[in-house]
């Protein structure tokens, strides 16, 4: 039991600790505010504008340059939101189902069990695209994520190859002649896994070894010789040690595949840009793209958006920074003639994976895409339009 004296000392001590804590919290908030102010100064150019002479839709601007512009979408959103669906018809010459061509993602279950395929949602997406003269690109046939719940307990070294071959044969065969390009293998490189050739320790690598990649491409090519077959990856866009390591590993992979005659025709640069990442080196990116192109590969900008979670909250400032990042990045990548397709990972801020995966700490809605939540064209839309207009014709 405390004496009165020690209790008073305890209270005084407690008050002191709380005051100190409060000061520390205030100091931290102050540092954060100062950083945000610095960041806004470095990232933002208040005088930058994104003027355009006309509002021709992105698909037509791209077509005039020999490019294809498209966006990812989810079945549930196109079905439930006719106004959104109409924006895809207006702006896009290509549709990339965000969930429906994966093994299992969101509410899409292409693979309900090892013996079944449910094409209902994917068929709806392909039909939506075709009836609007849009092409389709498929993401993704072989990935370490989005594997159905039954995968872990049902797949093993003995049956993994036959399961992989059957999946690719069935899915690619089902859409033969209807898909512009497939991400045959997605994100197979992860230097931090410490494996030979910087290959990711994916289940497919565990069960089948490095040759699962070549196998996947050969099966896909046999199932649909008309589709462009791509390797797709992320974390390659910046002048950082890990992005550089990954660029080198991806280049080595692409060189190996080409040298062994793997039927690969393209590389997908996902392009999930990081709004507050200052280490962007145009010359290094140009060189990487040129090295990929020198292998005889086309390049698809496959999942373009801007992660704005660390950007200043004010919408005008944030939109201007995001638009500037789009224009600066695209002015580099669209200079590479091998780049033939530009796909944003979503079209409107109303529906983006970033809401769940990269939410802002201040709770403000993310604003990564060309259209805002009201489906109105933002400065990001104008920035993309300007970059396409400035690009060399293919
Ligand atoms: O929105 C629902 C939410 O209501 C629900 O409470 C929650 C719990 O199930 O799920 C939420 O949906 C999730 C959705 O992301 C949110 O965007 C889905 O379960 C989840 O499967 C989905 O993940 C998708 C992810 O791939 C894995 O399939 C993302 O939508 C999709 O944008 C993302 O796309 C990948 C590319 O395929 C490959 N490159 C990276 C890219 C981003 O991760």
């Amino acid at each position: 039991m405390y004496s009165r004296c020690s209790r008073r000392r305890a209270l005084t001590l407690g008050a002191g600790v709380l005051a100190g804590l409060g000061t520390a919290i205030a100091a931290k908030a102050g540092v954060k505010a100062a950083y945000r102010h610095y960041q806004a100064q470095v990232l933002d150019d208040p005088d930058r504008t994104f003027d355009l002479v006309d509002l021709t839709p992105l698909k037509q601007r791209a077509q005039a340059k020999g490019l294809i512009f498209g966006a990812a979408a989810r079945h549930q959103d196109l079905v439930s939101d006719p106004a959104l669906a109409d924006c895809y018809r207006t702006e896009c010459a290509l549709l990339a189902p965000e969930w429906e061509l994966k093994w299992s993602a969101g509410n899409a279950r292409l693979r309900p069990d090892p013996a079944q395929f449910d094409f209902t949602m994917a068929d709806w997406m392909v039909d939506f695209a075709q009836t609007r003269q849009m092409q389709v690109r498929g993401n993704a046939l072989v990935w370490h994520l989005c594997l159905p719940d039954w995968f872990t307990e049902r797949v093993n070294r003995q049956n993994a190859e036959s399961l992989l071959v059957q999946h690719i044969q069935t899915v690619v065969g089902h859409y033969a002649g209807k898909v512009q390009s497939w991400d045959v293998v997605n994100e197979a490189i992860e230097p931090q896994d410490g494996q030979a050739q910087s290959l990711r320790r994916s289940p497919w690598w565990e069960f089948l070894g490095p040759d699962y990649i070549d196998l996947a491409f050969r099966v896909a090519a046999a199932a649909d010789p008309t589709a462009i077959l791509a390797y797709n990856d992320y974390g390659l866009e910046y002048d950082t040690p890990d992005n550089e390591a990954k660029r080198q590993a991806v280049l080595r992979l692409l060189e190996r595949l080409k040298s062994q005659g793997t039927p690969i025709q393209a590389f997908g640069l996902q392009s999930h840009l990081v709004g507050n990442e200052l280490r962007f080196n145009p010359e290094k990116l140009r060189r990487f793209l040129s090295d990929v192109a020198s292998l005889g590969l086309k390049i698809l900008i496959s999942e373009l958006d801007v992660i704005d979670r660390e950007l200043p909250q004010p919408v005008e400032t944030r939109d201007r920074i995001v638009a500037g990042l789009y224009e600066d990045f695209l002015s580099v990548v669209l200079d590479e003639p091998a780049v033939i397709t530009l796909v944003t990972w979503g079209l409107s801020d109303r529906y983006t994976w970033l809401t769940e995966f990269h939410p802002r700490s201040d709770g403000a809605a993310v604003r990564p895409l060309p259209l805002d939540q009201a489906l109105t064209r933002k400065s990001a839309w104008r920035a993309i339009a300007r970059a396409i207009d400035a690009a060399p014709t293919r």
Side-chain angles (χ1 to χ4, degrees):
M1 183 63 116
Y2 289 113
S3 71
R4 188 185 295 276
C5 174
S6 65
R7 196 153 63 86
R8 187 181 308 118
R9 276 186 52 216
L11 285 173
T12 307
L13 185 62
V17 167
L18 280 176
L21 201 59
T23 307
I25 290 170
K28 187 168 179 245
V31 167
K32 203 161 186 179
Y35 172 68
R36 285 249 191 272
H37 179 68
Y38 157 77
Q39 185 192 61
Q41 283 190 315
V42 170
L43 288 166
D44 185 29
D45 172 1
D47 300 325
R48 185 165 186 177
T49 58
F50 301 92
D51 299 331
L52 279 172
V53 293
D54 64 74
L55 296 177
T56 303
L58 295 176
K59 70 178 180 183
Q60 282 154 266
R61 298 179 114 97
Q63 194 175 18
K65 297 291 181 157
L67 282 162
I68 299 168
F69 175 80
R74 304 157 189 173
H75 169 270
Q76 66 178 30
D77 301 333
L78 294 177
V79 166
S80 64
D81 192 337
L84 174 81
D86 203 42
C87 291
Y88 278 81
R89 183 189 53 76
T90 301
E91 301 287 358
C92 299
L94 178 143
L95 180 71
E98 189 172 348
W99 293 349
E100 295 74 17
L101 288 169
K102 291 169 177 168
W103 289 56
S104 172
N107 61 3
R109 294 288 175 272
L110 178 63
R111 298 302 310 273
D113 66 46
Q116 275 191 72
F117 294 80
D118 181 350
F119 289 109
T120 309
M121 285 190 182
D123 283 352
W124 189 96
M125 294 293 274
V126 171
D127 182 63
F128 175 93
Q130 290 193 317
T131 50
R132 292 162 179 78
Q133 292 73 50
M134 298 164 75
Q135 298 188 70
V136 174
R137 78 173 314 266
N139 171 277
L141 294 170
V142 182
W143 192 19
H144 63 287
L145 295 177
C146 290
L147 295 170
D149 294 342
W150 51 260
F151 190 92
T152 307
E153 66 260 22
R154 300 290 296 276
V155 185
N156 52 52
R157 282 187 205 294
Q158 287 66 45
N159 65 11
E161 179 171 335
S162 61
L163 192 85
L164 180 68
V165 168
Q166 183 201 34
H167 181 80
I168 297 172
Q169 280 176 335
T170 308
V171 176
V172 176
H174 185 81
Y175 295 112
K178 297 181 179 179
V179 170
Q180 178 243 11
S181 57
W182 279 104
D183 290 330
V184 176
V185 174
N186 192 41
E187 303 175 6
I189 294 292
E190 179 42 83
Q192 293 179 11
D193 280 2
Q195 296 310 312
Q197 302 166 343
S198 293
L199 289 174
R200 182 186 296 273
R201 296 184 64 95
S202 87
W204 303 110
W205 178 87
E206 298 275 5
F207 291 139
L208 302 175
D211 290 344
Y212 82 91
I213 298 172
D214 176 71
L215 172 66
F217 277 93
R218 291 184 187 280
V219 175
D224 184 359
T226 69
I228 295 170
L229 303 181
Y231 172 74
N232 190 51
D233 217 330
Y234 70 97
L236 303 155
E237 298 79 8
Y238 292 100
D239 187 14
T240 61
D242 61 333
N243 275 215
E244 179 59 27
K246 200 163 179 179
R247 282 193 290 270
Q248 294 311 313
V250 164
L251 275 176
R252 299 297 83 77
L253 169 64
L254 297 175
E255 286 165 355
R256 279 198 308 280
L257 293 174
K258 290 296 286 183
S259 67
Q260 65 192 38
T262 302
I264 176 174
Q265 293 89 34
F267 167 65
L269 179 68
Q270 289 185 15
S271 310
H272 293 294
L273 305 182
V274 181
N276 59 309
E277 176 52 75
L278 302 175
R279 294 166 289 180
F280 176 64
N281 182 324
E283 289 326 304
K284 284 199 174 179
L285 184 56
R286 283 180 198 281
R287 194 173 320 123
F288 172 65
L289 296 175
S290 173
D291 290 345
V292 171
S294 68
L295 296 173
L297 295 174
K298 294 299 182 188
I299 299 169
L300 319 174
I301 306 303
S302 56
E303 303 182 16
L304 179 63
D305 54 17
V306 177
I307 299 169
D308 72 346
R309 67 184 300 168
E310 301 300 331
L311 293 181
Q313 184 182 93
V315 165
E316 185 186 346
T317 305
R318 187 153 34 117
D319 280 1
R320 188 168 50 234
I321 293 171
V322 167
L325 293 170
Y326 272 124
E327 190 165 11
D328 294 346
F329 178 77
L330 290 175
S331 68
V332 173
V333 300
L334 294 182
D335 246 1
E336 170 51 63
V339 173
I340 59 169
T341 301
L342 168 56
V343 177
T344 51
W345 205 241
L347 190 60
S348 160
D349 299 337
R350 194 181 284 183
Y351 307 101
T352 166
W353 68 293
L354 296 173
T355 299
E356 282 92 358
F357 283 76
H358 291 277
R360 290 178 56 88
S361 56
D362 58 15
V366 296
R367 296 176 63 88
L369 291 168
L371 308 184
D372 67 15
Q373 294 216 11
L375 306 181
T376 305
R377 289 164 168 175
K378 293 157 57 183
S379 40
W381 183 94
R382 293 194 298 279
I384 294 170
R386 286 162 54 93
I388 292 173
D389 292 351
T393 300
R394 270 76 184 135

